[in-house]
Amino acid sequence: MEKQSSRFTFLLVIPALMLTVACAGSDTRRVARTTPQRTPVATPAGPARSAAADNGDARTAPDKSGAAASQPAPSHASDDPVDSVLSNAQEEYDQGVESLRAGETEEARGHFDAAIQVFMNSSVPVDQSPRLKTAFNKMVDDIAALEQDLEEAPGSAPDATPSPTEGLNDINTYLTPEEAAKERENVAPEAQAISFDIPMVINDQVLAWVEIFKNRKEFRNSFVGGYQRYGWYEEMIHRTFKEEGLPADLIYMAFLESTYKTSAYSRARARGIWQFMTPTGREYGLKVNRYVDERSNPEKSTRAAARYMKDLYATLGDWHLAIAAYNTGAGNVLRAQRRSGKTDYWDLTKTRYMRTETKNFVPAILALALISKDPVKYGFEGVEHNPTLQYDRVTVQGPTEISLMARLAGCSVDDIKFLNPQLRLGVTPPGEKDYEVLLPSGKGETFVAAYESLPDSDRIARIAKVHTVRRGDTLGSIAAKYGTSVDELRASNKIGNPRSLSVGAQITVPGLGNTVAVDDDAPRTRHSSRSSQVGTKYSPYHVVRRGDTLSAISRAYGISLRNLLSWNGMTEKSVIVPGKRLMVGRGPSSSGSVRPLGATRPGAATEPAAGLVSVPGGGQVTPDPAGERVIYKVRTGDNLFRIALKFKTTVDDLKAWNNISGNAIRAGEALTIYPN
């Protein structure tokens, strides 16, 4: 489920409002800073302090190098139309992520559509503003990544487990005054004797979560498992936080997010112990592609989480607000402050501008910190941390199968999978030299000696093809095409439901003898050697070079000047500049000549005599028997971006194929689309 690479790493700079650009972990996560609202601290973690119970709402006073007082959120008003577009689009995007987090997929898609529509309706054309164009391209990539994640079954990994935060929205944390007084009497003296390096609060919300973890079976069991797994990663997380200048007690965020399970996932397809979603994972340096998902790598995701938390703290100046923003996004926290007039996290929890999950997120983490520092006090006798994970680091060249590594190291495949949960297909990623792999402690030397004795031909995984699913494909037909089995395809691609294939998905076909992954349907350039590219397609575009003319281009591709102008919305007086991309045809036929696409305005193409086929995300198409194009009937609520996303193409392609000059389309119109 990977569009596969984010084209930009971009932080929106909007003078009047700090915006969250993407989502990670439990929700919208990426932070873009505006003109500084306060001086960011160099080292957010101050000296450890103890809590003091006082009238049910005792807080440690932040030290000078620690949490600064929360400041009011700035107004988002701006006279700059570009600022307005960016602000409005971002707000729709953030609401989409919020809906995604709540499991409201269609509602989320509606917000994402609205975010794109803000750009399309802008009084400043996107192509005429570098800021708008960069932000638009970034948002398109991020939405595409989220959409692609949604196509993947949420529990597709064999050991996948729902994130504990999934239940925070359904918890009533109310305590009667008598219950609160009793719990406070038990908790406050202990809290005073314990050191914390994030501000500790003893209020009714935190006390209620102490009670929940103690007495509700599912949460009690979750605590026990998380407390045990904590031991595996404690040393690594604390070392990373120290290097990044963060408070050590932020480790309890991962306790709540995942109970330290690398296989944890959410409804919004956040993954790993820190619950990053794909766009923000990439923003903070995590690779997410068909071979690796570094959100599941404990070390790399911890480093990413630390840097993200530093950004949140620098933006919000308060640890409770920063922790809340990790759940819901800095933009949503700032909007809640602006709309409510409140700046303190605990005051915000009393308003309607913060989601229930975020209201529960911070007190639940503080409760986990309290209990974890003295579990026996809270009724968790006999619970111990697992020992710190010990492992050796080795490097391998090219795609190397886990099964080979296990055989050479003298350990089990499960041992290597456990230490390297980021490897999605049982093989290290092709094209990466010196790829680091973790092996059980003491197995490194054995592996290296055996690995170096192997010839290169035996080291490299034999990955033959990456097949792009087309309409009508089934696992059976793909297996038959490549001479493998359905079981092999399911195992290699972690496919749970064989009927859930979607058009455009990529399937790895194992063991056919090549040393790198080759996309069966990858495009090639017009100048590629035909003999070495059997079965692939030419690009239907020509990129204008210095000295090109429209008539020369039309002659070079064997098309009429009239068609060239028509397909590209141009006239004979149009000026072309180097770098401009022109539609020139669908590529050469078997005889080597270039044939035009033949589509003009929606509905003008001849309707192929074939039945309707459903497409991902809704809608139906009439496929061309030759498999070259489809005719898509526009539905109410469709826009060009949404349709482009369905067919894994671009808005520019749709407009070029159908001679659409603006952005408006009408329900009932027929669009010609060339999905391949």
Side-chain angles (χ1 to χ4, degrees):
M1 148 186 156
E2 175 65 20
K3 181 185 172 204
Q4 327 11 4
S5 63
S6 185
R7 289 177 289 178
F8 299 92
T9 301
F10 176 74
L11 298 181
L12 294 178
V13 182
I14 299 176
L17 174 65
M18 158 59 63
L19 295 178
T20 304
V21 177
C23 54
S26 298
D27 217 78
T28 314
R29 297 288 171 87
R30 190 175 312 157
V31 177
R33 284 191 288 278
T34 62
T35 304
Q37 302 299 320
R38 60 188 64 82
T39 303
V41 293
T43 14
R49 305 185 64 86
S50 62
D54 180 21
N55 296 326
D57 192 2
R59 310 181 188 186
T60 57
D63 58 87
K64 293 180 181 179
S65 64
S70 174
Q71 301 295 319
S75 167
H76 74 300
S78 173
D79 295 330
D80 187 340
V82 171
D83 283 352
S84 178
V85 170
L86 294 175
S87 174
N88 292 336
Q90 192 61 48
E91 184 159 355
E92 288 287 355
Y93 178 89
D94 289 348
Q95 290 179 26
V97 174
E98 289 280 271
S99 299
L100 203 60
R101 172 66 182 152
E104 300 292 341
T105 304
E106 288 309 310
E107 182 178 316
R109 285 172 168 151
H111 284 299
F112 293 150
D113 286 350
I116 297 301
Q117 203 65 45
V118 170
F119 284 99
M120 291 183 169
N121 295 338
S122 169
S123 60
V124 180
V126 171
D127 285 345
Q128 293 181 17
S129 167
R131 290 174 63 203
L132 284 182
K133 187 172 183 178
T134 304
F136 175 77
N137 287 335
K138 185 72 180 74
M139 188 170 287
V140 166
D141 280 347
D142 289 346
I143 293 173
L146 295 175
E147 288 273 5
Q148 191 168 20
D149 284 349
L150 287 173
E151 293 179 12
E152 190 175 88
S156 56
D159 59 345
T161 4
S163 164
T165 58
E166 298 286 77
L168 294 184
N169 229 29
D170 306 319
I171 297 298
N172 181 355
T173 57
Y174 175 75
L175 291 179
T176 67
E178 294 75 20
E179 290 171 331
K182 181 179 179 181
E183 197 65 49
R184 186 174 296 110
E185 184 179 342
N186 291 331
V187 171
E190 308 303 323
Q192 287 179 311
I194 297 174
S195 294
F196 301 89
D197 59 3
I198 54 176
M200 177 54 68
V201 174
I202 308 299
N203 61 16
D204 288 0
Q205 291 143 288
V206 175
L207 294 173
W209 274 100
V210 170
E211 189 69 19
I212 288 167
F213 283 117
K214 283 169 54 179
N215 298 317
R216 293 202 188 185
K217 183 178 179 180
E218 67 274 25
F219 283 94
R220 184 178 179 87
N221 291 341
S222 178
F223 176 87
V224 171
Y227 189 84
Q228 292 169 335
R229 286 183 290 274
Y230 175 102
W232 286 338
Y233 305 114
E234 176 185 15
E235 188 277 332
M236 179 272 293
I237 294 175
H238 283 166
R239 181 183 69 249
T240 303
F241 282 3
K242 184 176 181 180
E243 291 169 357
E244 296 291 340
L246 289 180
D249 285 340
L250 292 178
I251 191 173
Y252 298 110
M253 290 172 56
F255 200 144
L256 182 63
E257 290 276 18
S258 64
T259 62
Y260 308 105
K261 288 183 178 180
T262 60
S263 59
Y265 70 90
S266 75
R267 284 181 298 239
R269 307 305 191 263
R271 291 190 181 277
I273 65 175
W274 293 100
Q275 288 291 281
F276 274 105
M277 291 174 71
T278 296
T280 307
R282 288 174 175 160
E283 175 68 23
Y284 283 88
L286 300 178
K287 293 180 181 178
V288 182
N289 57 47
R290 62 180 285 99
Y291 289 99
V292 298
D293 188 342
E294 291 181 345
R295 297 176 298 168
S296 296
N297 182 300
E299 290 188 354
K300 292 184 178 181
S301 65
T302 295
R303 182 72 63 181
R307 291 172 178 172
Y308 179 54
M309 283 301 297
K310 286 173 68 175
D311 282 352
L312 289 173
Y313 181 83
T315 298
L316 297 165
D318 175 270
W319 279 120
H320 295 152
L321 291 173
I323 293 170
Y326 194 89
N327 176 258
T328 191
N332 288 324
V333 170
L334 290 168
R335 275 188 287 274
Q337 288 180 319
R338 186 181 71 243
R339 291 166 178 170
S340 68
K342 309 291 185 182
T343 59
D344 179 75
Y345 168 78
W346 303 100
D347 291 336
L348 288 172
T349 64
K350 299 171 185 175
T351 74
R352 61 186 178 90
Y353 299 105
M354 184 172 280
R355 289 187 309 129
T356 301
E357 181 180 308
T358 309
K359 293 178 181 180
N360 281 327
F361 192 70
V362 176
I365 289 170
L366 297 182
L368 284 170
L370 275 170
I371 300 171
S372 297
K373 290 176 184 284
D374 190 1
V376 174
K377 162 71 180 175
Y378 298 96
F380 292 94
E381 295 86 0
V383 180
E384 296 181 355
H385 294 317
N386 291 338
T388 300
L389 288 177
Q390 303 291 331
Y391 39 78
D392 295 339
R393 300 175 188 271
V394 300
T395 58
V396 297
Q397 305 294 318
T400 304
E401 290 181 293
I402 285 178
S403 56
L404 174 66
M405 290 186 273
R407 178 167 61 83
L408 297 180
C411 62
S412 72
V413 168
D414 286 343
D415 287 339
I416 298 181
K417 286 183 177 179
F418 172 72
L419 292 172
N420 302 274
Q422 75 277 8
L423 298 178
R424 306 179 76 170
L425 300 179
V427 64
T428 61
E432 290 202 22
K433 296 181 178 179
D434 299 322
Y435 186 84
E436 184 178 82
V437 178
L438 305 185
L439 299 178
S441 182
K443 298 294 184 180
E445 289 186 9
T446 302
F447 170 80
V448 170
Y451 181 73
E452 290 182 347
S453 69
L454 288 178
D456 287 347
S457 59
D458 290 341
R459 294 180 184 178
I460 303 299
R462 304 176 75 80
I463 303 173
K465 293 288 182 182
V466 177
H467 176 85
T468 302
V469 177
R470 298 173 176 176
R471 283 178 183 79
D473 277 352
T474 66
L475 284 183
S477 67
I478 297 170
K481 177 178 179 179
Y482 295 102
T484 185
S485 68
V486 170
D487 287 343
E488 282 285 338
L489 292 178
R490 292 182 65 178
S492 298
N493 296 275
K494 296 185 178 179
I495 297 174
N497 181 1
R499 295 183 177 86
S500 65
L501 290 184
S502 59
V503 173
Q506 292 184 314
I507 302 293
T508 296
V509 185
L512 294 189
N514 292 332
T515 59
V516 294
V518 179
D519 189 337
D520 179 57
D521 298 305
R524 57 178 174 165
T525 65
R526 188 168 65 94
H527 303 287
S528 299
S529 167
R530 294 187 65 198
S531 61
S532 64
Q533 299 282 348
V534 176
T536 58
K537 304 264 192 311
Y538 282 90
S539 169
Y541 296 104
H542 172 82
V543 178
V544 176
R545 301 172 184 173
R546 189 177 301 277
D548 278 352
T549 64
L550 290 170
S551 58
I553 294 170
S554 67
R555 288 194 302 271
Y557 285 88
I559 57 178
S560 70
L561 179 59
R562 179 180 177 181
N563 277 342
L564 177 64
L565 297 174
S566 174
W567 298 339
N568 292 281
M570 303 169 67
T571 70
E572 292 183 2
K573 296 182 179 180
S574 295
V575 176
I576 55 174
V577 295
K580 182 177 178 62
R581 189 172 65 162
L582 298 179
M583 173 69 66
V584 293
R586 71 168 179 82
S589 64
S590 58
S591 64
S593 63
V594 178
R595 289 191 292 169
L597 292 169
T600 55
R601 185 66 181 131
T606 303
E607 294 284 345
L612 292 173
V613 177
S614 295
V615 294
Q620 293 182 318
V621 299
T622 307
D624 181 356
E628 296 296 342
R629 68 181 181 184
V630 295
I631 308 300
Y632 177 79
K633 188 173 182 180
V634 177
R635 299 187 303 161
T636 301
D638 272 345
N639 61 43
L640 289 173
F641 169 75
R642 181 123 228 80
I643 297 169
L645 207 55
K646 286 178 183 177
F647 290 94
K648 294 181 172 61
T649 185
T650 67
V651 171
D652 286 344
D653 285 348
L654 291 178
K655 293 168 77 170
W657 292 333
N658 295 278
N659 282 348
I660 300 173
S661 57
N663 295 307
I665 53 175
R666 298 187 302 275
E669 286 186 322
L671 299 184
T672 299
I673 300 170
Y674 295 82
N676 291 325

